[in-house]
């Protein structure tokens, strides 16, 4: 099934909601979606910029998990 193409803003919103649902990550403040410049299977990556009161390592692991899950369904819109 083809991936759903979404805007950067929409993907950031979805990803932050998903990260905050992970154990110990309810207070993650900010994430970043980065475009992947070279042709690849996925055209974006995810990282935590501000973990809030969450443990930084826990937040980073949550981001990797959420990235894996969301990459199955979503691609960034291309310019």
């Amino acid at each position: 099934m083809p991936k759903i193409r979404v805007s950067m803003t929409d993907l950031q919103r979805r990803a932050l909601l998903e990260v905050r649902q992970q154990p110990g990550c309810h207070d993650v403040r900010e994430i970043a979606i980065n475009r992947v410049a070279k042709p690849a299977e996925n055209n974006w990556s995810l990282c935590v910029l501000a973990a809030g009161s969450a443990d930084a390592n826990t937040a980073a692991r949550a981001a990797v998990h959420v990235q894996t899950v969301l990459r199955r369904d979503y691609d960034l819109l291309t310019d």
Side-chain angles (χ1 to χ4, degrees):
M1 196 155 112
K3 293 183 183 181
I4 300 166
R5 300 174 86 61
V6 294
S7 68
M8 177 79 74
T9 304
D10 190 30
L11 186 56
Q12 283 177 316
R13 182 185 55 77
R14 291 171 192 257
L16 183 57
L17 288 172
E18 289 294 326
V19 167
R20 286 179 175 165
Q21 290 180 13
Q22 300 303 306
C25 295
H26 69 279
D27 195 39
V28 169
R29 306 282 176 164
E30 187 176 1
I31 56 111
I33 301 293
N34 303 298
R35 275 191 195 279
V36 174
K38 295 182 180 181
E41 184 178 336
N42 299 290
N43 68 353
W44 61 275
S45 65
L46 166 65
C47 67
V48 173
L49 297 179
S53 64
D55 175 72
N57 289 324
T58 300
R61 283 191 299 277
V64 169
H65 170 73
V66 168
Q67 173 180 279
T68 300
V69 171
L70 292 183
R71 276 181 165 178
R72 291 179 195 146
D73 296 325
Y74 300 102
D75 260 341
L76 280 175
L77 287 170
T78 54
D79 296 330

